[in-house]
Amino acid sequence: MNATFNLKRFFLLENYKKQETGKHLLWSAGVVLGICLLCMMYDINKGMSYYTEHTQANGFCRYILWFLCIAPCLLESSITKRNSTLYLLLPASAFEKFLHLWMKYILILPVFCMLLILGIKAILILSGTGYLSHFGNHIELHIIQNDQTLTYSLLQGTFFIGCIAFKQQKLINSFIVLCACFIAFFGIILSISLWEPADSHEYWIANISYPIYNFPMSSTGEAIIAFCNYATPLLFLIGTWVSGYFLLKEKQL
């Protein structure tokens, strides 16, 4: 391609891919409705206890978020010998093909699922049926806690880059990579804790419940921790997107 990005050429690519995108949206709608029905069936199976206990509506959006994280490996077709020639010969640059994937799975699909959830919530609340209204009222749209952002970033980034990196069994291979990352993180944490010296009372320094280690942190330290809590997931996501672009570019070459 003569240029990395050309707006007219990108619109032509989107027009060529619109039928595929529409199918992916329909599949996603089916998954969202299926998860909703499964949550309702689980509540109904518990009997009337869902009025006093947490209904599955509390986790409904969280299940949708898990689906969105693995959606690239579920919906995107693998580049095989049968379709690789046609894909590589498309009159679009590697950046435009990557941008198509990025917009579909980071913008279009999440917005579509969010609108669908809002529609389901409104329909259930206005249905007038006791259980359906109760389920709709308990659908929580705020699903990501601050301490979970890194986990979801790792989940989304691994499966997003996996749909580009792997040719076959993308979901399984991406899951194996994700497990390997978690094992490596836990191994590092365990190694650090084992090398920490114990005090005279045989308490590990990591045990913050011991009184002598409870002291106020400086404002600079709090600022550094707050920055790392928000910057680390963002930098990881950007890193996976950049890596995915270069992988796609290498395949096109």
Side-chain angles (χ1 to χ4, degrees), residues 60-224:
F60 173 54
C61 289
R62 187 172 294 108
Y63 304 146
I64 303 301
L65 182 60
W66 293 346
F67 161 71
L68 290 175
C69 288
I70 66 175
C73 291
L74 287 176
L75 301 177
E76 203 62 29
S77 58
S78 302
I79 301 177
T80 61
K81 292 182 179 180
R82 182 177 58 85
N83 60 6
S84 60
T85 302
L86 178 61
Y87 181 78
L88 295 176
L89 291 179
L90 283 176
S93 65
F95 179 77
E96 290 162 351
K97 294 176 182 178
F98 172 80
L99 187 60
H100 164 75
L101 292 175
W102 189 89
M103 290 183 60
K104 182 194 298 185
Y105 294 108
I106 308 300
L107 294 179
I108 298 176
L109 207 60
V111 171
F112 174 78
C113 290
M114 182 60 66
L115 293 176
L116 190 59
I117 292 172
L118 290 174
I120 292 174
K121 181 180 176 70
I123 292 173
L124 294 178
I125 292 176
L126 298 175
S127 63
T129 306
Y131 166 68
L132 296 182
S133 299
H134 178 77
F135 188 90
N137 284 320
H138 282 78
I139 293 179
E140 299 178 353
L141 299 179
H142 181 69
I143 51 179
I144 301 180
Q145 305 297 329
N146 292 335
D147 57 347
Q148 298 174 337
T149 54
L150 183 58
T151 302
Y152 282 110
S153 298
L154 179 62
L155 186 66
Q156 192 277 335
T158 302
F159 285 97
F160 182 82
I161 200 172
C163 82
I164 301 174
F166 301 113
K167 294 182 179 180
Q168 295 179 346
Q169 299 178 339
K170 296 181 290 185
L171 184 63
I172 297 176
N173 291 329
S174 299
F175 181 74
I176 292 174
V177 172
L178 182 67
C179 292
C181 291
F182 278 120
I183 292 173
F185 288 158
F186 290 140
I188 293 173
I189 294 174
L190 180 61
S191 300
I192 295 175
S193 63
L194 290 176
W195 281 99
E196 286 181 343
D199 60 12
S200 58
H201 298 278
E202 297 183 354
Y203 282 95
W204 293 100
I205 291 179
N207 187 359
I208 60 174
S209 62
Y210 196 57
I212 64 173
Y213 301 123
N214 292 333
F215 52 87
M217 185 177 294
S218 64
S219 57
T220 304
E222 292 180 353
I224 293 175

Side-chain angles (χ1 to χ4, degrees), residues 37-50 55-56 131-132:
L37 290 176
L38 289 175
C39 291
M40 290 180 177
M41 291 174 63
Y42 182 85
D43 282 348
I44 294 173
N45 187 58
K46 292 194 304 181
M48 297 298 292
S49 61
Y50 58 77
T55 174
Q56 284 298 305
Y131 166 68
L132 296 182

Side-chain angles (χ1 to χ4, degrees), residues 15-28:
N15 185 61
Y16 176 77
K17 292 282 190 177
K18 65 180 181 181
Q19 186 175 1
E20 179 187 80
T21 303
K23 290 181 180 179
H24 291 169
L25 292 178
L26 288 177
W27 277 109
S28 301

